[in-house]
Each structure stands twice: as C-alpha cells, then as structure tokens.
Amino acid sequence: MLQSRVQIGPRKRPPLHFLPLGGCGEIGMNLSLYGYGDEWIAIDCGMMLRQDLPDSPLQVPDVGCLTPLGIQPRALILTHGHEDHIGAAAWLWPHWGCPIYATPLAAGLLRAKFLERGLAVDAIRIVAPGDALESGPFALRYLPLTHSIPESCALLLTTPHHRVLHTGDWKLDPEPLIGSPVDQRLYASLAPVDLLVGDSTNATLPGWSRSEGDVARALERAIGACTGRVIVSCFASNLARVLAVGRAAARCGRRISLMGRSMERMVRTARDLGYLEDLPQLVPVRDLGYLPAEEVLIIATGSQGEPRAALSRLAQGRHPDLELQAGDTVIFSAKAIPGNERLIERLQLALKRLDVGVLEETRHPELHASGHPAQDELRTFYGWTKPRRLLPVHGERRHQEAHQRLAESCGIDAPLAPDNGDLIRVERTTLSVER
C-alpha cells in the first residue's frame, strides 16, 4: 500500500497588532493596546489635561471600537502615575474588569480614585520596577526610566516572535533628585529591539532636557530674591519639584504649606511610600496668617489655569484661608500644556492686577524642566537600544513627524506616524495600517 507524503510548510506566525486609542496627535489621554492572536493587553489609561475643551471637564479615550473588533483586554498595565496615564482608568476599567498592574506609587494613586467612585480595588496589583509578569502570550518586564514622577518605567513586551520596547514617558536626567539616573547597561543589554514605541513630546527640540537638579538650584536663587510671600505652582505629581521647592524654602528661611487637594493627596501618598522624607514640616494653610510674609512659601496646584484650582481661587480673592497682597510672588514651575495657554494668560493677568509678581516659564525657562527627551537624548537612547523600527506616539502630529525624521537619521525604519484608532499590523519586516 502506497502512502502519499504531504509536505507541511512552516506554521504562519500570528501578527502583532498595535492599537492606539489616545496620545497620538495629541498631548495626554494615553491608551495603547497590543494584540497577539486573539489576546490583548492595554497599556496606560489616561485623561486629557487640557482645560479649554467645551462642555465636559472630563475627557477620556473613546473605546467604542473595541467591542466591534472583539477586543477585551485581559490586563491593564500602567507605566507611571501621571493623570494622562492613569486618570481615565476609574471610568474605563469597569468595562473590562481585568487585573491592573502598577508600581506602588501609581497603585496608591489609583486606589484613591477607585475608592472615590465606589469601585473595588482588588484588581490593582503592585509590581516593582524591574519586575517581570506574564499575561497570556505576553511576557512583560518593568524597566526603570527617569521622569518627573518616581517609579516611571518602560515596558519590554515579548511574544514568541516579537520584542517591543514601549517607553512610556522618560528623560535622561543625571540628577533626578528622587531615584537613580537611567542605567545605560540595562538598556544596552536589550539591543537590538524589534520595535520601539516611543515618547515624541520633545522630538522637535534640539539638545537635552534640563535636569531637575539644575531647576532646584534656580528655584532657590529665585525664592531667595523674593521679599513677600512666595507661591510656587507646579504639577502635584512632580514630586522632585515639590521636594526641590521644599528644600529651597528651608534654605531661604521660609515655612512651607500645601494648597490644593491633589497636591495634598500626592504628598501624603508619596510619604506613605517613603518618598519626601526630608521635605520640611508642613504648616496648615489656615495658620499662614500668623507668619510674617517673608517666612511663607506655598506649593499650590493650578499651573494650567484650572478655574477651580487653588491658584485661580487666590487670584480671584475666593480662597477661604488666604488673600494675596502686593509684593507677593507667584512662580509658575510648569510648562503650558497645548490648549491651556489662554487660561494661563488670564490667570497671570489677574495676579498682576493684584500687584503680585509673576515668574513664568517662557521668560524664566530655568525654573522648569520637561520630563520628556529632547533630540540628543533620543539619539543617545536609541544608540543604546538599537531599535530596528519605531512608532512615534505621545505627541501632536508635528512631534510625531519630527520623531520619524530623527529616527530615520539614526538608521531606524519609521514609516508610520499613528493616529488614534489606527490598527497597525506588525510583521517581521513591515508595519502597515489595516483598513
């Protein structure tokens, strides 16, 4: 009896898919999904930080396409604790009900949000920078990177046929104040990676971003030159900046107070985790009236002109515990998020009408440092990791296109600048948008 021989070819590899639903063509609201076969994971789940959008104060990614595509994330992985990376989770996670993985600080901040909305926190699972985990066909490793909040991490995603580095937000800061500088050997050990999905925010800017250590020294000089009360407004999550301001206040003979619920919550959560141990003792806002003006420094929320934030209430004379006076100084230690410029300008004009001095980032760039990499940092990092291909995310279109050009100048293939909603098929040698 004759037997036929059937030659069976190599089994076809399942493609990797990348689906951004936020953070492409815009600053903020980051949400990315990766699929391999029928399994999907989500990375980050942020809200928009712009204050100029009409009607709704809450802007979260549109996930309406997931159900028609049959996508149900089996895990939500958070890279760090900024609002544009975790702020929408309390609204969108109930649709998924999957485990959430986060570093201790991000997990603590997310727990507070879940409890406010009456959500169970059992799904939130803590991982430490450097840890590895698995979710279906994905193996993931948290890799520490410096940013403007502690415990920021890139993610190395591995499937049976792909190695992807998803950077999250990062910079190369030699003096980050909190935490250690980036470990070059760690990232060089990953080279080459098949695909890098990377932060584009400062891809238009030459050189290097400023170090937090340099900002700390500039703040101390500025605060030392002030005579009345000083109010420093920065993002509550920028704990290195909060620490720098606190240290500068102590050296200039000033007592510090926090103003704004998000600032108080962030500092409390950070202290519970062992951060900010050398932040000077805080004075309750209600007790500031007993101190001479030259001994007062307030760290306040509201750098983006948010109408309900502490700084706007001070500018409008609506704060219940404090009234600004001529000779006081407000320092804006934060950059304007695109879209917030008009509200910030209105806030600063209101402060000037009170004869309050205003030091802001455009005229005093030394008082702020971005948490994102400029062009020389990108080149240096890519020299370590040697990505074969790049997808530029986290930025407006001009940032993404500048990132493409920079990558290509480094010999990295960067054929696409994704839009939110693009379903990108990652093959061995090609990237393509599925229609």
Side-chain angles (χ1 to χ4, degrees):
M1 179 176 171
L2 296 175
Q3 292 183 337
S4 63
R5 294 183 178 180
V6 178
Q7 291 187 351
I8 301 176
R11 187 176 179 181
K12 189 174 181 181
R13 297 177 174 179
L16 176 70
H17 284 98
F18 174 70
L19 175 61
L21 294 181
C24 290
E26 62 193 1
I27 301 289
M29 209 157 64
N30 296 280
L31 171 59
S32 301
L33 293 105
Y34 289 87
Y36 184 76
D38 296 326
E39 304 280 358
W40 288 82
I41 58 172
I43 294 182
D44 292 331
C45 191
M47 66 193 303
M48 182 64 76
L49 300 179
R50 288 175 59 173
Q51 302 298 316
D52 65 328
L53 301 174
D55 302 326
S56 174
L58 177 67
Q59 301 288 330
V60 301
D62 181 359
V63 296
C65 68
L66 296 184
T67 299
L69 290 172
I71 295 173
Q72 179 74 17
R74 64 179 297 149
L76 171 59
I77 318 292
L78 302 178
T79 60
H80 64 286
H82 275 155
E83 286 293 292
D84 61 331
H85 291 258
I86 70 169
W91 280 265
L92 299 184
W93 172 84
H95 298 291
W96 306 333
C98 59
I100 303 172
Y101 296 92
T103 53
L105 180 57
L109 297 171
L110 192 61
R111 279 198 190 100
K113 291 177 179 293
F114 272 40
L115 291 172
E116 279 186 354
R117 291 184 57 81
L119 299 174
V121 298
D122 300 352
I124 302 173
R125 303 176 184 181
I126 295 177
V127 292
D131 281 358
L133 60 96
E134 292 186 359
S135 180
F138 294 96
L140 300 106
R141 185 178 171 197
Y142 273 75
L143 304 173
L145 274 176
T146 49
H147 184 43
S148 54
I149 188 173
E151 302 175 359
S152 295
C153 289
L155 293 169
L156 181 67
L157 288 77
T158 305
T159 75
H161 301 109
H162 310 86
R163 293 175 73 247
V164 178
L165 184 61
H166 185 105
T167 69
D169 292 359
W170 65 279
K171 64 187 291 188
L172 298 182
D173 192 337
E175 193 180 0
L177 296 192
I178 298 177
S180 302
V182 176
D183 184 350
Q184 174 181 345
R185 291 174 299 177
L186 170 64
Y187 284 92
S189 72
L190 307 178
V193 294
D194 299 319
L195 174 66
L196 189 144
V197 179
D199 181 355
S200 306
T201 309
N202 283 344
T204 58
L205 302 180
W208 289 68
S209 57
R210 188 174 288 105
S211 170
E212 285 294 334
D214 291 334
V215 176
R217 288 180 282 274
L219 283 167
E220 185 173 341
R221 291 191 295 270
I223 292 166
C226 296
T227 54
R229 288 174 298 192
V230 175
I231 299 91
V232 179
S233 188
C234 62
F235 288 109
S237 58
N238 193 337
L239 292 175
R241 196 71 47 82
V242 171
L243 179 59
V245 173
R247 289 173 174 172
R251 291 178 184 136
C252 295
R254 293 178 180 268
R255 306 285 298 279
I256 65 169
S257 184
L258 304 180
M259 190 174 285
R261 189 173 68 161
S262 62
M263 182 70 70
E264 293 169 355
R265 174 191 294 168
M266 178 65 71
V267 170
R268 181 172 59 250
T269 302
R271 280 184 149 175
D272 288 345
L273 291 169
Y275 296 109
L276 304 180
E277 290 182 345
D278 59 343
L279 186 71
Q281 185 176 357
L282 301 174
V283 176
V285 173
R286 63 181 178 273
D287 293 342
L288 291 177
Y290 298 105
L291 295 175
E294 65 273 14
E295 295 181 13
V296 172
L297 186 143
I298 300 162
I299 309 175
T301 58
S303 65
Q304 300 302 302
E306 302 97 315
R308 292 184 291 274
L311 190 55
S312 287
R313 287 184 285 138
L314 284 173
Q316 296 162 15
R318 293 191 296 106
H319 197 281
D321 297 308
L322 190 71
E323 184 175 334
L324 292 177
Q325 299 173 353
D328 292 344
T329 300
V330 174
I331 298 174
F332 285 79
S333 189
K335 190 177 183 67
I337 292 173
N340 294 344
E341 295 88 351
R342 182 174 295 181
L343 282 172
I344 295 171
E345 182 181 2
R346 186 183 306 166
L347 170 60
Q348 292 175 355
L349 287 173
L351 292 167
K352 291 174 182 177
R353 281 196 292 269
L354 297 174
D355 202 17
V356 169
V358 174
L359 303 180
E360 44 81 27
E361 188 264 347
T362 59
R363 294 194 176 190
H364 300 274
E366 72 278 4
L367 298 177
H368 174 63
S370 173
H372 303 272
Q375 291 173 356
D376 285 351
E377 288 163 279
L378 292 167
R379 290 190 183 95
T380 298
F381 189 68
Y382 297 161
W384 298 346
T385 55
K386 295 180 170 46
R388 295 188 174 99
R389 288 174 289 172
L390 176 132
L391 283 172
V393 298
H394 200 303
E396 297 176 344
R397 190 71 181 184
R398 63 189 179 92
H399 303 119
Q400 293 175 278
E401 291 174 350
H403 200 175
Q404 279 182 288
R405 292 191 295 270
L406 182 141
E408 288 165 355
S409 75
C410 296
I412 302 166
D413 186 26
L416 298 175
D419 289 321
N420 291 335
D422 283 349
L423 181 60
I424 297 174
R425 185 182 181 98
V426 182
E427 297 281 13
R428 187 175 182 85
T429 59
T430 61
L431 298 172
S432 59
V433 180
E434 293 192 353
R435 303 297 181 186

